[in-house]
Amino acid sequence: MSRSKNHHYLSQFYLRGFTKSGGTKENLCVYDKLQNKYFESSPKHIASQKYFNRISHPENPNIIEDELAKVEGVLSVSFREIIEKKNYPNEKQFNHIVNFITLAALRNPKIRSLFDDFYKQIADKLMMLTMASEERYLSQCRQAGIKEEDIIPYDKQKAFVEDKSRYTLEINQKVHIESEFKMLDNLNDILLKRNWYLIVTNEEIGEFITSDYPVSLISLVDTGPYGVGFGLKKTEVVFPISKHLVFIGVFEEYENVDKTLFATKKLVESINARTVEFANKQVYSTRKLSDILKKHLNF
């Protein structure tokens, strides 16, 4: 039974693919976007959060963490094989990579933060509706089974609700985890429908980097005021597999184009720039970001 407090939302085996040799004790170069500074760290101490997968469970609060560790053990084999051979994945390896992309896209502090804001906006609107009148407030209290003598006076409760400095809304982590698992199969099916291309590079051309949110999604056409979704046509998903491999998925199928392509320096810089852009807080690589990349990002 796992007793770990430090839960990774990006697996350590994945992060090791962006170290110099892939060794278990080797550090990564970490760029902090928010503080605009660098530091070194092992995969063990990054892309993680205290009790990220913890839930209320009578026997094992870390049951999600334990089960995910088993899944990651299976996925890591396919990653290792692809990284070593640099060949387009076979069916099993392909499914494992897409499974990992799905997990990385959904189970992440960046996404939880977005849902936090969404849930809090809904909760805030519901509270304001409840407090719209004393009659509505009392009705809601009675429907909730609150005894008359225990109901807080309307004026007092209304003043409390309107003074947001007096309370903080927190979303139960179980809500996040349940939402993530409900969306996993749907997103995985969408990603499997894309046509995926493997981009290969080397030390001479340049290395790929990754981040604490390594799944980038962009539209290839102007969408105007509308957002971009994983199921939208004419969009591109990019996922760095290792410092020498990137997976790019599109719905369109290009004729006379191999599934495995060799990168140019310009393409490596473009993909890396996108990785930095989509990162939540941190970027991971074997060395500090290149001057060319910094210029491209207007640092």
Side-chain angles (χ1 to χ4, degrees):
M1 182 182 295
S2 172
R3 296 295 181 187
S4 172
K5 297 180 181 179
N6 189 41
H7 296 175
H8 282 79
Y9 48 86
L10 279 182
S11 308
Q12 294 182 64
F13 82 78
Y14 170 72
L15 295 169
R16 285 195 290 271
F18 297 87
T19 62
K20 290 181 179 179
S21 68
T24 57
K25 296 183 179 180
E26 195 164 11
N27 285 347
L28 284 156
C29 181
V30 182
Y31 172 66
D32 189 305
K33 283 177 63 176
L34 303 183
Q35 300 183 46
N36 190 27
K37 70 176 185 180
Y38 289 94
F39 62 92
E40 287 195 357
S41 178
S42 69
K44 183 178 180 180
H45 298 114
I46 55 177
S48 61
Q49 191 169 294
K50 188 175 180 180
Y51 296 132
F52 187 73
N53 296 312
R54 192 177 181 90
I55 61 171
S56 296
H57 191 279
E59 296 178 6
N60 180 14
N62 280 350
I63 188 171
I64 300 295
E65 176 72 1
D66 293 342
E67 292 303 312
L68 284 171
K70 296 176 185 177
V71 173
E72 290 171 355
V74 174
L75 301 185
S76 67
V77 176
S78 289
F79 269 76
R80 184 171 64 250
E81 292 170 348
I82 296 166
I83 291 170
E84 288 176 355
K85 296 179 180 180
K86 295 184 180 180
N87 290 333
Y88 195 86
N90 59 36
E91 184 178 358
K92 182 183 76 172
Q93 294 166 343
F94 174 83
N95 286 328
H96 285 173
I97 294 177
V98 175
N99 290 161
F100 189 90
I101 295 172
T102 303
L103 287 168
L106 289 176
R107 297 184 55 264
N108 192 283
K110 181 177 181 178
I111 302 303
R112 286 193 184 178
S113 177
L114 292 174
F115 276 99
D116 260 343
D117 293 340
F118 175 70
Y119 290 140
K120 288 175 182 177
Q121 287 175 18
I122 292 176
D124 187 60
K125 288 179 180 178
L126 287 174
M127 286 194 298
M128 298 308 294
L129 284 172
T130 298
M131 304 310 300
S133 68
E134 184 173 8
E135 182 181 4
R136 182 189 292 269
Y137 167 67
L138 294 174
S139 175
Q140 292 290 322
C141 290
R142 289 165 185 150
Q143 288 182 40
I146 302 174
K147 296 179 180 179
E148 292 292 331
E149 61 269 24
D150 294 330
I151 296 177
I152 299 172
Y154 173 72
D155 290 340
K156 183 177 181 181
Q157 184 66 12
K158 189 172 188 293
F160 175 82
V161 170
E162 292 177 346
D163 184 0
K164 299 187 186 304
S165 66
R166 298 175 62 184
Y167 63 92
T168 302
L169 293 174
E170 294 290 342
I171 307 303
N172 190 306
Q173 181 152 282
K174 185 179 179 181
V175 174
H176 284 299
I177 293 174
E178 287 179 346
S179 297
E180 290 161 3
F181 277 93
K182 285 178 181 177
M183 292 186 288
L184 280 175
D185 287 342
N186 185 43
L187 178 57
N188 198 70
D189 289 343
I190 290 173
L191 292 176
L192 285 172
K193 291 176 181 176
R194 287 178 177 264
N195 295 300
W196 291 89
Y197 297 86
L198 185 68
I199 311 299
V200 182
T201 188
N202 56 35
E203 286 81 0
E204 184 178 347
I205 297 172
E207 294 178 346
F208 294 118
I209 62 178
T210 192
S211 77
D212 54 1
Y213 189 75
V215 184
S216 60
L217 169 68
I218 66 164
S219 176
L220 301 176
V221 296
D222 183 12
T223 59
Y226 303 102
V228 180
F230 282 100
L232 191 66
K233 297 292 180 71
K234 296 185 179 179
T235 58
E236 186 175 87
V237 176
V238 174
F239 175 75
I241 296 175
S242 74
K243 63 186 177 184
H244 292 146
L245 302 172
V246 154
F247 228 17
I248 296 182
V250 295
F251 284 113
E252 294 70 30
E253 188 165 4
Y254 303 115
E255 296 182 3
N256 302 318
V257 176
D258 291 336
K259 288 289 187 177
T260 300
L261 303 168
F262 290 95
T264 62
K265 288 186 177 181
K266 185 176 181 179
L267 180 59
V268 171
E269 291 165 9
S270 175
I271 290 174
N272 285 346
R274 191 185 302 181
T275 298
V276 177
E277 179 184 353
F278 276 80
N280 186 28
K281 295 179 181 178
Q282 296 180 340
V283 178
Y284 311 124
S285 56
T286 61
R287 59 178 68 88
K288 290 185 177 181
L289 303 182
S290 70
D291 291 336
I292 295 176
L293 180 57
K294 287 182 179 180
K295 183 178 180 181
H296 185 74
L297 293 165
N298 297 317
F299 282 6

